[in-house]
Amino acid sequence: MHSWIDGQPATAVNLHNRGLAYGDGLFETIAVRAGKPSLLELHLQRLALGCQRLAISIDLPLVRDELLRFASQLGDGVAKLIVTRGDSQRGYAPGVGVAARRILQGSPLPQYPAVNAEQGVRLFACQTRLAEQPLLAGLKHLNRLEQVLARGEWQDAEHAEGLVCDSHGRVIEGVYSNLFMVRGGVLQTPELSRCGVAGVMRGALLAQAPALGISVQVSDLALADLEQAEEVFLCNSVYGIWPVLECSALKLNWPAGPLTRKLQAVARTLLDT
Amino acid sequence: MHSWIDGQPATAVNLHNRGLAYGDGLFETIAVRAGKPSLLELHLQRLALGCQRLAISIDLPLVRDELLRFASQLGDGVAKLIVTRGDSQRGYAPGVGVAARRILQGSPLPQYPAVNAEQGVRLFACQTRLAEQPLLAGLKHLNRLEQVLARGEWQDAEHAEGLVCDSHGRVIEGVYSNLFMVRGGVLQTPELSRCGVAGVMRGALLAQAPALGISVQVSDLALADLEQAEEVFLCNSVYGIWPVLECSALKLNWPAGPLTRKLQAVARTLLDT
């Protein structure tokens, strides 16, 4: 599938790119259907916020234009957008006036088993803990060794995702998903001010919930809270929502409940429009 | 200056390299003088340890051979070796049987002001705190956004380095150096089991000290310990040792003392042989 750097077809990036040297950049993983990027404005908003926090200056209208052109060529698939602080010589200093680089990579839509969405998934309980770094929390930056380590903990196909906690044992997210639970009819999801990735689908669901008459609560969650949950689900901006049926290592299980099903339909609509 | 990928001249890396995607790899920054890499075995040892901890499989004798060939072509300069988990499609899963990639980049020896080593340096007190992640602590991995943020905190030439603490306020290191202090004649340096990079020069000095009749202590250090220090110095495997004269924001200053000068000569010898 095709890939671009700064709007031009390319398959390789300069060895001096700071994305390679330091993971000095951000990325967005965007579902594309019939040539249209899903949740485009939310992806761009998160990217802009990340760039602001890392002091990377980008031309957002240009990024939008490129994404739209790239998606129309892609048709159906996933467009991964990487923005790095650009190329520089050795040394951590961010440099002044260095142009950020925009990388776009196309790939096919992942072929997840249909049961994931229809029936639900099993969660692997990862031992890898997320470090607490408020300066980077919430961002989808390129420093993702923790996710690589967590995803490396299981190889079987039985577990579609892994549950990841922070160093204090608080429940944070999946390896490539955000996590929600329902308790007392209230939709709850972990606060992500110390670690974790504030996913675009998570943001969209939190934004939609009030209009659907669903109360939401964003707060610290412990494993004990998961025990009391009536429903648990995962989400991201590629697959939408997967109900979580169990986390066997923790002897926890949940039904694919009504609020999950309701929001699953919402997520589907969000991804299709 | 020249650069290689997997032993062949190259200036660009495949867009699917996991070093770019996730910072999924490690690096070594090696001083090269008269065509010889300094502290070669220590660099290779640390790299091997890092690869083991990240489950990246490399051919160490091949890496050594390439480094020696690369250095002989470089003459005088810095050889930066990046080892990544290789190329892969989208997704955090490390993949099985993916070949690690070896990247070598040459650059000139940095032109630090002579006063840094001769008289000493001023430390900027960075606000950026290092997150505590025992799984990655000590490694020189490619997830270096914290260092980029810390180094971005000052632009003036007055401060040669920055002092970085962990999220509990413990003293850890410089942005691109390790830190030592002398108290009661004992050489002390922070423990790096929660965060920080266990530098090759740090390791070499710790290894040499006993034979020089110097007692060493590796333990947690607080800013209050720095207040009581008789001497403070920084080290890395490119510049050797710089005495630290002051950290003005913390109203701390120290003389360039006798143990610093003694070890500075040791470091110089280590780098020259």
Side-chain angles (χ1 to χ4, degrees):
Chain A
M1 309 206 78
H2 64 311
S3 52
W4 295 356
I5 297 181
D6 294 348
Q8 301 298 319
T11 57
V13 67
N14 189 295
L15 280 187
H16 293 283
N17 192 284
R18 293 177 62 96
L20 173 67
Y22 307 128
D24 191 4
L26 299 149
F27 69 112
E28 296 289 331
T29 306
I30 304 165
V32 176
R33 286 183 174 83
K36 279 185 60 185
S38 303
L39 299 166
L40 176 62
E41 296 310 319
L42 292 178
H43 281 292
L44 290 173
Q45 272 170 33
R46 182 177 59 177
L47 178 68
L49 181 71
C51 285
Q52 195 184 353
R53 282 175 59 188
L54 296 184
I56 293 174
S57 110
I58 51 156
D59 181 341
L60 212 59
L62 178 63
V63 171
R64 180 186 287 107
D65 285 353
E66 280 181 8
L67 253 174
L68 288 169
R69 280 198 295 134
F70 189 85
S72 77
Q73 290 188 24
L74 186 62
D76 289 289
V78 172
K80 179 173 175 173
L81 167 65
I82 298 177
V83 170
T84 79
R85 202 184 301 273
D87 304 344
S88 78
Q89 292 307 305
R90 225 173 47 74
Y92 293 122
V96 180
V98 175
R101 231 169 251 301
R102 309 172 302 278
I103 300 170
L104 276 164
Q105 298 171 271
S107 59
L109 278 168
Q111 298 297 310
Y112 296 118
V115 290
N116 288 8
E118 287 166 11
Q119 294 173 38
V121 298
R122 280 169 186 76
L123 270 186
F124 184 88
C126 295
Q127 296 296 310
T128 302
R129 298 275 176 270
L130 301 178
E132 295 169 28
Q133 176 49 278
L135 294 174
L136 300 174
L139 304 186
K140 202 166 172 86
H141 55 68
L142 295 173
N143 281 199
R144 299 263 75 106
L145 271 171
E146 290 178 333
Q147 281 68 34
V148 172
L149 292 176
R151 186 59 191 82
E153 289 190 46
W154 82 97
Q155 280 75 41
D156 63 87
E158 243 179 86
H159 297 94
E161 246 285 27
L163 176 67
V164 191
C165 296
D166 71 11
S167 55
H168 286 87
R170 299 178 199 101
V171 171
I172 302 297
E173 60 194 3
V175 177
Y176 57 96
S177 312
N178 284 117
L179 181 137
F180 281 83
M181 57 172 259
V182 179
R183 181 166 52 173
V186 176
L187 184 65
Q188 296 183 267
T189 193
E191 221 233 323
L192 302 177
S193 59
R194 300 181 206 92
C195 55
V197 176
V200 157
M201 182 56 83
R202 172 183 181 271
L205 294 173
L206 289 174
Q208 297 261 331
L212 299 164
I214 302 168
S215 303
V216 298
Q217 188 183 319
V218 179
S219 59
D220 287 338
L221 290 179
L223 288 174
D225 294 307
L226 278 188
E227 275 178 42
Q228 296 171 16
E230 295 136 22
E231 305 176 32
V232 175
F233 66 85
L234 296 167
C235 68
N236 79 19
S237 57
V238 172
Y239 67 68
I241 283 180
W242 290 339
V244 177
L245 297 179
E246 68 170 57
C247 186
S248 47
L250 303 173
K251 298 193 196 321
L252 294 174
N253 58 78
W254 307 272
L259 206 49
T260 300
R261 293 305 188 190
K262 186 173 181 175
L263 289 167
Q264 200 171 31
V266 171
R268 210 172 288 128
T269 308
L270 284 169
L271 287 177
D272 284 349
T273 48
Chain B
M1 307 207 81
H2 64 310
S3 52
W4 294 358
I5 297 181
D6 293 348
Q8 302 298 320
T11 56
V13 66
N14 189 295
L15 278 187
H16 292 282
N17 191 283
R18 294 176 62 95
L20 173 66
Y22 306 128
D24 191 4
L26 299 148
F27 69 112
E28 296 289 332
T29 306
I30 304 166
V32 176
R33 285 184 175 82
K36 280 187 59 187
S38 302
L39 299 165
L40 176 62
E41 296 310 318
L42 292 178
H43 281 292
L44 290 171
Q45 274 172 32
R46 181 176 59 179
L47 178 68
L49 180 73
C51 285
Q52 195 185 350
R53 283 176 59 188
L54 296 183
I56 294 174
S57 111
I58 50 156
D59 182 341
L60 212 60
L62 179 62
V63 171
R64 180 187 286 108
D65 285 354
E66 280 180 8
L67 252 174
L68 287 169
R69 279 198 295 133
F70 189 84
S72 76
Q73 290 189 24
L74 186 61
D76 290 287
V78 172
K80 179 172 175 173
L81 167 66
I82 298 177
V83 170
T84 79
R85 202 184 302 272
D87 304 345
S88 78
Q89 293 306 306
R90 226 172 47 75
Y92 293 122
V96 180
V98 175
R101 231 168 251 300
R102 309 172 302 279
I103 300 168
L104 276 165
Q105 298 170 272
S107 59
L109 280 168
Q111 299 295 312
Y112 297 118
V115 291
N116 289 8
E118 289 167 9
Q119 295 173 37
V121 299
R122 280 170 184 76
L123 271 185
F124 184 87
C126 295
Q127 296 295 310
T128 301
R129 297 278 177 267
L130 300 178
E132 295 170 30
Q133 176 49 278
L135 295 173
L136 300 175
L139 304 185
K140 202 166 170 86
H141 55 68
L142 295 173
N143 280 199
R144 300 261 75 106
L145 271 172
E146 290 177 333
Q147 281 68 34
V148 173
L149 292 177
R151 186 58 190 84
E153 288 189 47
W154 81 96
Q155 280 77 41
D156 63 87
E158 244 180 86
H159 297 93
E161 246 285 25
L163 176 68
V164 191
C165 297
D166 71 12
S167 57
H168 285 88
R170 298 179 200 100
V171 171
I172 302 297
E173 60 193 6
V175 176
Y176 57 96
S177 313
N178 284 117
L179 181 137
F180 282 83
M181 58 173 258
V182 179
R183 180 167 50 174
V186 176
L187 184 65
Q188 295 182 267
T189 192
E191 221 234 322
L192 302 177
S193 59
R194 301 183 205 90
C195 56
V197 176
V200 157
M201 183 55 82
R202 172 184 182 270
L205 294 175
L206 288 174
Q208 297 260 331
L212 298 166
I214 301 168
S215 304
V216 298
Q217 188 184 320
V218 179
S219 60
D220 287 340
L221 290 178
L223 288 175
D225 294 307
L226 279 188
E227 276 179 41
Q228 295 170 16
E230 293 137 22
E231 306 175 29
V232 175
F233 66 84
L234 296 167
C235 69
N236 80 17
S237 58
V238 172
Y239 66 68
I241 285 180
W242 290 340
V244 177
L245 298 178
E246 68 169 57
C247 186
S248 48
L250 302 174
K251 298 194 197 320
L252 294 173
N253 58 78
W254 307 272
L259 206 48
T260 300
R261 291 308 187 189
K262 186 174 180 175
L263 290 167
Q264 199 171 32
V266 171
R268 210 171 287 128
T269 307
L270 285 168
L271 287 176
D272 283 349
T273 49

